[in-house]
Short mmCIF file of all heavy atoms in Angstrom, two decimals:
data_model
loop_
_atom_site.label_atom_id
_atom_site.label_comp_id
_atom_site.label_asym_id
_atom_site.label_seq_id
_atom_site.Cartn_x
_atom_site.Cartn_y
_atom_site.Cartn_z
N MET A 1 -131.87 -159.75 -82.72
CA MET A 1 -131.47 -160.48 -83.93
C MET A 1 -130.09 -160.90 -83.94
O MET A 1 -129.26 -160.21 -83.37
CB MET A 1 -131.78 -159.73 -85.19
CG MET A 1 -131.40 -160.50 -86.43
SD MET A 1 -131.37 -159.63 -88.04
CE MET A 1 -132.94 -158.78 -88.05
N TYR A 2 -129.74 -162.10 -84.30
CA TYR A 2 -128.26 -162.55 -84.39
C TYR A 2 -128.01 -162.93 -85.87
O TYR A 2 -128.94 -163.38 -86.56
CB TYR A 2 -128.16 -163.83 -83.61
CG TYR A 2 -128.45 -163.67 -82.13
CD1 TYR A 2 -129.74 -163.93 -81.60
CD2 TYR A 2 -127.56 -163.22 -81.28
CE1 TYR A 2 -130.14 -163.85 -80.34
CE2 TYR A 2 -127.82 -163.10 -79.94
CZ TYR A 2 -129.10 -163.41 -79.48
OH TYR A 2 -129.45 -163.31 -78.17
N THR A 3 -126.85 -162.67 -86.23
CA THR A 3 -126.30 -163.08 -87.62
C THR A 3 -124.99 -163.71 -87.45
O THR A 3 -124.30 -163.50 -86.38
CB THR A 3 -126.18 -161.85 -88.56
OG1 THR A 3 -125.26 -160.96 -87.92
CG2 THR A 3 -127.57 -161.17 -88.83
N GLY A 4 -124.77 -164.71 -88.34
CA GLY A 4 -123.51 -165.31 -88.35
C GLY A 4 -123.19 -165.94 -89.63
O GLY A 4 -123.95 -165.95 -90.62
N SER A 5 -121.89 -166.46 -89.75
CA SER A 5 -121.60 -167.15 -90.99
C SER A 5 -120.43 -168.08 -90.69
O SER A 5 -119.77 -168.07 -89.60
CB SER A 5 -121.10 -166.08 -92.08
OG SER A 5 -119.84 -165.54 -91.63
N CYS A 6 -120.20 -168.86 -91.70
CA CYS A 6 -118.99 -169.80 -91.56
C CYS A 6 -117.68 -168.96 -91.74
O CYS A 6 -117.77 -167.73 -92.05
CB CYS A 6 -119.11 -170.89 -92.64
SG CYS A 6 -119.00 -170.29 -94.33
N LEU A 7 -116.59 -169.55 -91.57
CA LEU A 7 -115.34 -168.74 -91.56
C LEU A 7 -115.06 -168.18 -93.00
O LEU A 7 -114.47 -167.11 -93.03
CB LEU A 7 -114.18 -169.61 -91.09
CG LEU A 7 -114.13 -169.88 -89.59
CD1 LEU A 7 -112.94 -170.96 -89.26
CD2 LEU A 7 -114.12 -168.64 -88.80
N CYS A 8 -115.34 -168.88 -93.97
CA CYS A 8 -115.05 -168.34 -95.31
C CYS A 8 -116.20 -167.36 -95.89
O CYS A 8 -116.00 -166.80 -96.89
CB CYS A 8 -114.88 -169.46 -96.33
SG CYS A 8 -116.29 -170.34 -96.76
N GLY A 9 -117.29 -167.37 -95.17
CA GLY A 9 -118.37 -166.44 -95.60
C GLY A 9 -119.29 -166.86 -96.60
O GLY A 9 -120.20 -166.17 -97.08
N GLU A 10 -119.15 -168.14 -97.07
CA GLU A 10 -120.00 -168.72 -98.15
C GLU A 10 -121.47 -169.07 -97.65
O GLU A 10 -122.35 -169.11 -98.45
CB GLU A 10 -119.42 -169.97 -98.73
CG GLU A 10 -118.17 -169.68 -99.65
CD GLU A 10 -118.59 -168.96 -100.93
OE1 GLU A 10 -119.60 -169.43 -101.58
OE2 GLU A 10 -117.93 -167.91 -101.22
N VAL A 11 -121.64 -169.27 -96.29
CA VAL A 11 -122.88 -169.56 -95.78
C VAL A 11 -123.19 -168.65 -94.63
O VAL A 11 -122.24 -168.30 -93.77
CB VAL A 11 -123.00 -170.93 -95.22
CG1 VAL A 11 -124.34 -171.28 -94.54
CG2 VAL A 11 -122.73 -171.99 -96.27
N ALA A 12 -124.26 -167.92 -94.64
CA ALA A 12 -124.71 -167.01 -93.60
C ALA A 12 -126.12 -167.36 -93.07
O ALA A 12 -126.89 -167.80 -93.77
CB ALA A 12 -124.65 -165.50 -94.09
N VAL A 13 -126.26 -167.06 -91.80
CA VAL A 13 -127.60 -167.38 -91.16
C VAL A 13 -128.01 -166.18 -90.37
O VAL A 13 -127.20 -165.25 -89.99
CB VAL A 13 -127.49 -168.59 -90.23
CG1 VAL A 13 -127.10 -169.85 -91.05
CG2 VAL A 13 -126.46 -168.38 -89.04
N GLU A 14 -129.35 -166.19 -90.01
CA GLU A 14 -130.02 -165.14 -89.23
C GLU A 14 -130.94 -165.72 -88.34
O GLU A 14 -131.69 -166.59 -88.66
CB GLU A 14 -130.64 -164.20 -90.27
CG GLU A 14 -131.30 -162.99 -89.64
CD GLU A 14 -131.97 -162.17 -90.65
OE1 GLU A 14 -131.27 -161.27 -91.25
OE2 GLU A 14 -133.24 -162.33 -90.89
N ILE A 15 -130.95 -165.24 -87.13
CA ILE A 15 -131.88 -165.74 -86.02
C ILE A 15 -132.65 -164.52 -85.58
O ILE A 15 -132.06 -163.46 -85.12
CB ILE A 15 -131.18 -166.35 -84.82
CG1 ILE A 15 -130.30 -167.57 -85.33
CG2 ILE A 15 -132.20 -166.78 -83.70
CD1 ILE A 15 -129.38 -168.05 -84.36
N LYS A 16 -133.94 -164.52 -85.85
CA LYS A 16 -134.75 -163.30 -85.50
C LYS A 16 -135.34 -163.36 -84.08
O LYS A 16 -135.63 -162.33 -83.50
CB LYS A 16 -135.93 -163.19 -86.41
CG LYS A 16 -135.51 -162.90 -87.92
CD LYS A 16 -136.68 -162.63 -88.79
CE LYS A 16 -136.04 -162.16 -90.09
NZ LYS A 16 -137.04 -162.24 -91.14
N GLY A 17 -135.34 -164.50 -83.41
CA GLY A 17 -135.82 -164.59 -82.12
C GLY A 17 -134.73 -164.85 -81.05
O GLY A 17 -133.54 -164.65 -81.34
N ALA A 18 -135.07 -165.21 -79.93
CA ALA A 18 -134.22 -165.47 -78.88
C ALA A 18 -133.61 -166.81 -78.97
O ALA A 18 -134.25 -167.78 -79.45
CB ALA A 18 -134.93 -165.30 -77.47
N ILE A 19 -132.36 -167.01 -78.40
CA ILE A 19 -131.85 -168.38 -78.22
C ILE A 19 -132.30 -168.88 -76.86
O ILE A 19 -132.00 -168.27 -75.84
CB ILE A 19 -130.21 -168.30 -78.23
CG1 ILE A 19 -129.85 -167.69 -79.59
CG2 ILE A 19 -129.64 -169.62 -78.09
CD1 ILE A 19 -128.32 -167.46 -79.72
N SER A 20 -133.03 -169.95 -76.91
CA SER A 20 -133.70 -170.47 -75.66
C SER A 20 -132.84 -170.95 -74.68
O SER A 20 -132.98 -170.82 -73.47
CB SER A 20 -134.77 -171.42 -76.00
OG SER A 20 -134.28 -172.59 -76.63
N SER A 21 -131.72 -171.71 -75.10
CA SER A 21 -130.77 -172.25 -74.15
C SER A 21 -129.52 -172.41 -74.94
O SER A 21 -129.49 -172.71 -76.12
CB SER A 21 -131.24 -173.52 -73.45
OG SER A 21 -131.42 -174.54 -74.39
N ILE A 22 -128.39 -172.44 -74.20
CA ILE A 22 -127.08 -172.78 -74.70
C ILE A 22 -126.44 -173.78 -73.86
O ILE A 22 -126.42 -173.62 -72.63
CB ILE A 22 -126.24 -171.51 -74.82
CG1 ILE A 22 -126.89 -170.44 -75.78
CG2 ILE A 22 -124.84 -171.88 -75.40
CD1 ILE A 22 -126.20 -169.18 -75.83
N ILE A 23 -126.01 -174.92 -74.41
CA ILE A 23 -125.39 -176.02 -73.67
C ILE A 23 -124.11 -176.44 -74.23
O ILE A 23 -123.84 -176.22 -75.39
CB ILE A 23 -126.30 -177.20 -73.53
CG1 ILE A 23 -126.60 -177.83 -74.98
CG2 ILE A 23 -127.64 -176.80 -72.91
CD1 ILE A 23 -127.14 -179.17 -74.96
N HIS A 24 -123.18 -176.97 -73.42
CA HIS A 24 -122.02 -177.68 -73.86
C HIS A 24 -122.39 -179.19 -73.84
O HIS A 24 -122.79 -179.76 -72.79
CB HIS A 24 -120.80 -177.55 -72.90
CG HIS A 24 -120.36 -176.06 -72.90
ND1 HIS A 24 -119.91 -175.37 -73.96
CD2 HIS A 24 -120.12 -175.20 -71.87
CE1 HIS A 24 -119.60 -174.20 -73.70
NE2 HIS A 24 -119.68 -174.08 -72.38
N CYS A 25 -122.25 -179.82 -75.03
CA CYS A 25 -122.74 -181.24 -75.14
C CYS A 25 -121.43 -182.06 -75.39
O CYS A 25 -120.64 -181.75 -76.29
CB CYS A 25 -123.70 -181.46 -76.26
SG CYS A 25 -124.33 -183.18 -76.26
N HIS A 26 -121.26 -183.11 -74.63
CA HIS A 26 -120.11 -183.98 -74.75
C HIS A 26 -120.48 -185.38 -75.43
O HIS A 26 -119.60 -186.27 -75.34
CB HIS A 26 -119.45 -184.29 -73.45
CG HIS A 26 -118.92 -183.02 -72.68
ND1 HIS A 26 -119.79 -182.15 -72.06
CD2 HIS A 26 -117.67 -182.55 -72.62
CE1 HIS A 26 -119.08 -181.15 -71.62
NE2 HIS A 26 -117.79 -181.40 -71.92
N CYS A 27 -121.68 -185.50 -76.02
CA CYS A 27 -121.99 -186.79 -76.68
C CYS A 27 -121.07 -187.10 -77.93
O CYS A 27 -120.37 -186.17 -78.37
CB CYS A 27 -123.47 -186.78 -77.05
SG CYS A 27 -123.85 -186.02 -78.64
N SER A 28 -121.14 -188.37 -78.28
CA SER A 28 -120.18 -188.80 -79.37
C SER A 28 -120.51 -188.08 -80.66
O SER A 28 -119.64 -187.77 -81.41
CB SER A 28 -120.25 -190.21 -79.57
OG SER A 28 -121.61 -190.72 -79.93
N LEU A 29 -121.75 -187.76 -81.02
CA LEU A 29 -122.14 -187.06 -82.17
C LEU A 29 -121.60 -185.65 -82.24
O LEU A 29 -121.13 -185.20 -83.21
CB LEU A 29 -123.62 -187.07 -82.43
CG LEU A 29 -124.25 -188.49 -82.63
CD1 LEU A 29 -125.85 -188.35 -82.72
CD2 LEU A 29 -123.73 -189.11 -83.87
N CYS A 30 -121.78 -184.92 -81.10
CA CYS A 30 -121.30 -183.60 -81.10
C CYS A 30 -119.76 -183.41 -81.10
O CYS A 30 -119.18 -182.63 -81.74
CB CYS A 30 -121.78 -182.82 -79.79
SG CYS A 30 -123.59 -182.46 -79.93
N ARG A 31 -119.04 -184.50 -80.45
CA ARG A 31 -117.69 -184.53 -80.51
C ARG A 31 -117.16 -184.85 -81.88
O ARG A 31 -116.19 -184.18 -82.45
CB ARG A 31 -117.10 -185.63 -79.51
CG ARG A 31 -117.19 -185.09 -78.05
CD ARG A 31 -116.53 -186.18 -77.16
NE ARG A 31 -117.50 -187.25 -77.17
CZ ARG A 31 -117.13 -188.51 -76.82
NH1 ARG A 31 -115.91 -188.75 -76.49
NH2 ARG A 31 -117.92 -189.46 -76.89
N LYS A 32 -117.84 -185.76 -82.64
CA LYS A 32 -117.43 -186.09 -83.96
C LYS A 32 -117.67 -184.94 -84.95
O LYS A 32 -116.85 -184.60 -85.81
CB LYS A 32 -118.20 -187.40 -84.42
CG LYS A 32 -117.80 -187.79 -85.92
CD LYS A 32 -118.61 -189.02 -86.29
CE LYS A 32 -118.13 -189.53 -87.64
NZ LYS A 32 -118.87 -190.75 -87.96
N ASN A 33 -118.75 -184.33 -84.78
CA ASN A 33 -119.24 -183.15 -85.70
C ASN A 33 -118.32 -181.97 -85.49
O ASN A 33 -117.98 -181.28 -86.50
CB ASN A 33 -120.70 -182.82 -85.55
CG ASN A 33 -121.15 -181.86 -86.57
OD1 ASN A 33 -120.91 -182.07 -87.65
ND2 ASN A 33 -121.93 -180.93 -86.09
N SER A 34 -117.90 -181.67 -84.26
CA SER A 34 -117.07 -180.49 -84.05
C SER A 34 -115.64 -180.76 -84.07
O SER A 34 -114.81 -179.85 -84.21
CB SER A 34 -117.43 -179.92 -82.64
OG SER A 34 -117.06 -180.79 -81.63
N GLY A 35 -115.25 -182.11 -83.94
CA GLY A 35 -113.81 -182.44 -83.99
C GLY A 35 -113.13 -181.93 -82.60
O GLY A 35 -111.93 -181.82 -82.65
N THR A 36 -113.93 -181.70 -81.58
CA THR A 36 -113.44 -181.26 -80.31
C THR A 36 -113.89 -182.15 -79.14
O THR A 36 -114.72 -183.06 -79.51
CB THR A 36 -113.69 -179.83 -80.03
OG1 THR A 36 -115.12 -179.65 -79.99
CG2 THR A 36 -113.23 -178.97 -81.25
N ALA A 37 -113.60 -181.75 -77.99
CA ALA A 37 -114.03 -182.59 -76.86
C ALA A 37 -115.42 -182.28 -76.56
O ALA A 37 -116.10 -183.08 -75.76
CB ALA A 37 -113.17 -182.36 -75.58
N PHE A 38 -116.05 -181.22 -77.04
CA PHE A 38 -117.49 -180.85 -76.80
C PHE A 38 -117.94 -179.97 -77.81
O PHE A 38 -117.07 -179.32 -78.48
CB PHE A 38 -117.71 -180.37 -75.36
CG PHE A 38 -117.07 -179.03 -75.09
CD1 PHE A 38 -117.64 -177.89 -75.36
CD2 PHE A 38 -115.73 -178.99 -74.51
CE1 PHE A 38 -117.02 -176.53 -75.13
CE2 PHE A 38 -115.15 -177.89 -74.33
CZ PHE A 38 -115.81 -176.69 -74.57
N ALA A 39 -119.24 -179.73 -77.88
CA ALA A 39 -119.76 -178.72 -78.87
C ALA A 39 -120.62 -177.80 -78.02
O ALA A 39 -121.26 -178.18 -77.01
CB ALA A 39 -120.53 -179.31 -80.02
N THR A 40 -120.67 -176.53 -78.42
CA THR A 40 -121.60 -175.58 -77.84
C THR A 40 -122.76 -175.42 -78.72
O THR A 40 -122.58 -175.06 -79.90
CB THR A 40 -120.84 -174.21 -77.56
OG1 THR A 40 -119.60 -174.45 -76.81
CG2 THR A 40 -121.73 -173.25 -76.86
N ASN A 41 -124.01 -175.78 -78.25
CA ASN A 41 -125.19 -175.77 -78.96
C ASN A 41 -126.11 -174.73 -78.48
O ASN A 41 -126.34 -174.74 -77.25
CB ASN A 41 -125.83 -177.18 -78.98
CG ASN A 41 -124.95 -178.20 -79.46
OD1 ASN A 41 -124.19 -177.99 -80.44
ND2 ASN A 41 -124.92 -179.35 -78.85
N GLY A 42 -126.72 -173.99 -79.36
CA GLY A 42 -127.79 -173.00 -78.95
C GLY A 42 -129.18 -173.47 -79.67
O GLY A 42 -129.13 -173.94 -80.85
N PHE A 43 -130.23 -173.29 -79.02
CA PHE A 43 -131.59 -173.77 -79.54
C PHE A 43 -132.45 -172.52 -79.80
O PHE A 43 -132.53 -171.69 -79.01
CB PHE A 43 -132.19 -174.70 -78.50
CG PHE A 43 -131.42 -175.95 -78.22
CD1 PHE A 43 -130.47 -175.96 -77.22
CD2 PHE A 43 -131.66 -177.05 -78.98
CE1 PHE A 43 -129.71 -177.11 -77.07
CE2 PHE A 43 -130.92 -178.24 -78.87
CZ PHE A 43 -129.84 -178.25 -77.88
N VAL A 44 -132.96 -172.58 -81.06
CA VAL A 44 -133.90 -171.51 -81.49
C VAL A 44 -135.11 -172.14 -82.19
O VAL A 44 -135.12 -173.31 -82.62
CB VAL A 44 -133.17 -170.62 -82.52
CG1 VAL A 44 -131.96 -169.93 -81.90
CG2 VAL A 44 -132.77 -171.40 -83.74
N ASN A 45 -136.18 -171.29 -82.32
CA ASN A 45 -137.37 -171.84 -83.00
C ASN A 45 -137.05 -171.82 -84.49
O ASN A 45 -136.41 -170.89 -85.02
CB ASN A 45 -138.57 -170.84 -82.77
CG ASN A 45 -139.02 -170.95 -81.36
OD1 ASN A 45 -138.98 -171.95 -80.76
ND2 ASN A 45 -139.52 -169.75 -80.82
N THR A 46 -137.45 -172.89 -85.14
CA THR A 46 -137.12 -173.15 -86.57
C THR A 46 -137.64 -172.01 -87.45
O THR A 46 -137.09 -171.64 -88.41
CB THR A 46 -137.49 -174.44 -87.10
OG1 THR A 46 -138.90 -174.65 -86.82
CG2 THR A 46 -136.70 -175.59 -86.46
N ASP A 47 -138.81 -171.42 -87.12
CA ASP A 47 -139.43 -170.44 -87.93
C ASP A 47 -138.81 -169.11 -87.70
O ASP A 47 -139.03 -168.13 -88.39
CB ASP A 47 -140.97 -170.31 -87.64
CG ASP A 47 -141.30 -170.01 -86.15
OD1 ASP A 47 -140.41 -170.16 -85.29
OD2 ASP A 47 -142.36 -169.57 -85.91
N GLU A 48 -137.84 -168.89 -86.74
CA GLU A 48 -137.13 -167.72 -86.54
C GLU A 48 -135.66 -167.88 -87.03
O GLU A 48 -134.87 -166.89 -86.84
CB GLU A 48 -137.15 -167.42 -85.04
CG GLU A 48 -138.51 -167.02 -84.58
CD GLU A 48 -138.58 -166.79 -83.06
OE1 GLU A 48 -137.64 -167.27 -82.37
OE2 GLU A 48 -139.48 -166.06 -82.61
N PHE A 49 -135.40 -168.96 -87.69
CA PHE A 49 -134.03 -169.21 -88.21
C PHE A 49 -134.08 -169.21 -89.68
O PHE A 49 -134.90 -169.86 -90.36
CB PHE A 49 -133.44 -170.60 -87.64
CG PHE A 49 -132.18 -170.97 -88.26
CD1 PHE A 49 -130.98 -170.58 -87.59
CD2 PHE A 49 -132.16 -171.76 -89.30
CE1 PHE A 49 -129.71 -170.93 -88.15
CE2 PHE A 49 -130.83 -172.16 -89.84
CZ PHE A 49 -129.67 -171.68 -89.26
N SER A 50 -133.11 -168.58 -90.42
CA SER A 50 -133.08 -168.71 -91.84
C SER A 50 -131.65 -168.57 -92.34
O SER A 50 -130.76 -168.03 -91.69
CB SER A 50 -133.93 -167.59 -92.52
OG SER A 50 -133.39 -166.26 -92.09
N VAL A 51 -131.39 -169.28 -93.48
CA VAL A 51 -130.02 -169.21 -94.12
C VAL A 51 -130.22 -168.02 -95.06
O VAL A 51 -131.02 -168.08 -95.99
CB VAL A 51 -129.79 -170.56 -94.79
CG1 VAL A 51 -128.47 -170.46 -95.57
CG2 VAL A 51 -129.78 -171.70 -93.83
N THR A 52 -129.34 -167.04 -94.90
CA THR A 52 -129.43 -165.80 -95.73
C THR A 52 -128.48 -165.86 -96.91
O THR A 52 -128.57 -165.06 -97.85
CB THR A 52 -129.25 -164.53 -94.91
OG1 THR A 52 -127.93 -164.67 -94.26
CG2 THR A 52 -130.33 -164.39 -93.87
N LYS A 53 -127.45 -166.66 -96.79
CA LYS A 53 -126.52 -166.87 -97.93
C LYS A 53 -126.14 -168.30 -97.99
O LYS A 53 -125.74 -168.91 -96.93
CB LYS A 53 -125.21 -165.97 -97.80
CG LYS A 53 -124.26 -166.00 -98.95
CD LYS A 53 -123.15 -165.05 -98.72
CE LYS A 53 -122.10 -165.26 -99.83
NZ LYS A 53 -120.90 -164.46 -99.51
N ARG A 54 -126.19 -168.87 -99.13
CA ARG A 54 -126.00 -170.35 -99.34
C ARG A 54 -124.83 -170.62 -100.28
O ARG A 54 -124.86 -170.03 -101.30
CB ARG A 54 -127.19 -171.00 -99.69
CG ARG A 54 -127.23 -172.43 -99.74
CD ARG A 54 -128.58 -173.02 -100.14
NE ARG A 54 -129.67 -172.55 -99.40
CZ ARG A 54 -130.14 -173.15 -98.28
NH1 ARG A 54 -129.62 -174.26 -97.87
NH2 ARG A 54 -131.22 -172.65 -97.63
N ALA A 55 -123.93 -171.31 -99.93
CA ALA A 55 -122.82 -171.84 -100.77
C ALA A 55 -123.36 -172.49 -102.03
O ALA A 55 -124.36 -173.24 -101.94
CB ALA A 55 -121.79 -172.78 -100.11
N SER A 56 -122.78 -172.30 -103.18
CA SER A 56 -123.37 -172.93 -104.40
C SER A 56 -123.37 -174.48 -104.34
O SER A 56 -124.11 -175.10 -104.99
CB SER A 56 -122.65 -172.43 -105.60
OG SER A 56 -121.20 -172.70 -105.48
N LYS A 57 -122.34 -175.01 -103.53
CA LYS A 57 -122.33 -176.45 -103.49
C LYS A 57 -123.38 -177.16 -102.59
O LYS A 57 -123.49 -178.28 -102.55
CB LYS A 57 -120.90 -176.91 -102.89
CG LYS A 57 -119.82 -176.52 -103.86
CD LYS A 57 -118.50 -176.86 -103.32
CE LYS A 57 -117.36 -176.51 -104.36
NZ LYS A 57 -116.00 -176.78 -103.84
N LEU A 58 -124.08 -176.30 -101.80
CA LEU A 58 -125.16 -176.78 -100.94
C LEU A 58 -126.44 -176.56 -101.64
O LEU A 58 -126.68 -175.60 -102.45
CB LEU A 58 -125.22 -175.97 -99.68
CG LEU A 58 -123.95 -176.03 -98.70
CD1 LEU A 58 -124.19 -175.14 -97.51
CD2 LEU A 58 -123.73 -177.44 -98.30
N SER A 59 -127.43 -177.51 -101.44
CA SER A 59 -128.66 -177.35 -102.18
C SER A 59 -129.78 -177.08 -101.13
O SER A 59 -129.53 -177.12 -99.94
CB SER A 59 -129.05 -178.65 -102.92
OG SER A 59 -128.97 -179.78 -102.01
ZN1 ZN B 101 -124.46 -183.89 -78.36
#
């Protein structure tokens, strides 16, 4: 199991399964979203991913 959160702790997530692959992506969307030269993305099954703490500003 993996757990994680944003830096301020307002949003937390949990992954119950394995991360199937991890890649560095340099596409324009990943660069724009991360604000860096590339983003590191991990892929998991959606039924094994859950948001355990949600910021009040998110719906
Ligand atoms: Zn990308």
Side-chain angles (χ1 to χ4, degrees):
M1 180 190 313
Y2 301 93
T3 59
S5 69
C6 63
L7 290 177
C8 73
E10 286 292 311
V11 177
V13 299
E14 181 179 276
I15 301 166
K16 292 185 177 167
I19 299 172
S20 60
S21 65
I22 298 174
I23 64 164
H24 294 304
C25 185
H26 297 77
C27 81
S28 61
L29 293 175
C30 287
R31 285 181 294 157
K32 183 176 181 180
N33 191 42
S34 66
T36 61
F38 64 89
T40 303
N41 302 318
F43 296 89
V44 300
N45 291 328
T46 54
D47 59 342
E48 295 175 336
F49 176 87
S50 60
V51 177
T52 56
K53 183 179 177 189
R54 188 178 304 268
S56 58
K57 293 180 181 175
L58 299 176
S59 56

